[in-house]
Amino acid sequence: MTRVTEPAQAAVRTPPLLNAANLLTGARLLLVPVFVALVVVSQMTRPGWQIAACVVFLIASMTDLLDGWIARRFDLVTSFGKVADPIADKALTGAALVLLSWYDLLPWWVTALILVREWGVTAIRFWVIRYGVIAASHGGKVKTALQIAAIVWYLLPLPAALAAVGPWVMGAAVLVTVVTGIDYVLRAVRLRSRD
């Protein structure tokens, strides 16, 4: 009698927790207090320290682009990464905006509006997570790029003529932030209503 064996189930590959994408996310989290310290030391009046803070901010922002690409490209998406990545993003952006408002370079209402949108979208992600994942839109990527550009503009010790462009860049960032936030809410509601 020939014994019939069931076909072996395809092994589900679980990426290791310690991988390049997660290490970059962790590095971004660690850079947040370094960035904050540099801004505080600069008092936003010492050009050398301002430039140092700006460089750290840019490096931390670049890890955000890299970790997501690495995680998707090499199938290194982990539960830790899904949670830690948005937290690291919001911590970096939030710290920058709060500090800019603290030093009277950015109106508090702008900081509040952006932070409410950012943390609100994170909360919505968790609200709909069992129904599916809402992919980042093109508008979301534009929003991130504009926010980074605006924050860098405010951090750098620029001549008055160039510094005057900063509020326009931030205005564009705020507009796209609000529009993409509304779009995200609508997509989340549609996703939940399918159930």
Side-chain angles (χ1 to χ4, degrees), residues 25-194:
T25 300
R28 186 158 70 262
L29 280 167
L30 292 174
L31 284 174
V32 172
V34 175
F35 165 70
V36 169
L38 288 170
V39 172
V40 171
V41 169
S42 81
Q43 296 288 301
M44 294 306 291
T45 58
R46 298 175 183 167
W49 290 106
Q50 284 178 261
I51 292 168
C54 187
V55 168
V56 169
F57 178 80
L58 277 172
I59 290 170
S61 297
M62 293 310 293
T63 67
D64 182 28
L65 299 173
L66 279 175
D67 65 4
W69 180 82
I70 289 171
R72 290 185 298 274
R73 175 72 176 81
F74 298 101
D75 195 23
L76 294 174
V77 177
T78 63
S79 297
F80 170 81
K82 288 178 186 176
V83 174
D85 182 65
I87 289 173
D89 298 345
K90 307 314 179 249
L92 179 65
T93 304
L97 293 169
V98 167
L99 286 166
L100 290 174
S101 291
W102 182 263
Y103 288 106
D104 294 323
L105 297 171
L106 185 67
W108 278 105
W109 70 264
V110 171
T111 294
L113 183 65
I114 292 175
L115 292 183
V116 166
R117 185 275 188 200
E118 297 297 335
W119 287 103
V121 165
T122 299
I124 289 170
R125 276 195 177 112
F126 288 111
W127 181 56
V128 300
I129 199 162
R130 69 186 192 105
Y131 298 93
V133 176
I134 301 175
S137 65
H138 177 68
K141 293 173 185 174
V142 171
K143 178 268 304 179
T144 300
L146 282 170
Q147 284 182 2
I148 291 170
I151 289 168
V152 165
W153 210 284
Y154 276 88
L155 288 172
L156 287 174
L158 297 170
L162 280 175
V165 178
W168 292 97
V169 180
M170 185 60 80
V174 169
L175 179 63
V176 177
T177 296
V178 170
V179 170
T180 55
I182 293 168
D183 175 64
Y184 202 94
V185 170
L186 294 174
R187 288 194 290 156
V189 169
R190 281 196 296 269
L191 184 62
R192 290 247 342 189
S193 66
R194 290 179 196 161

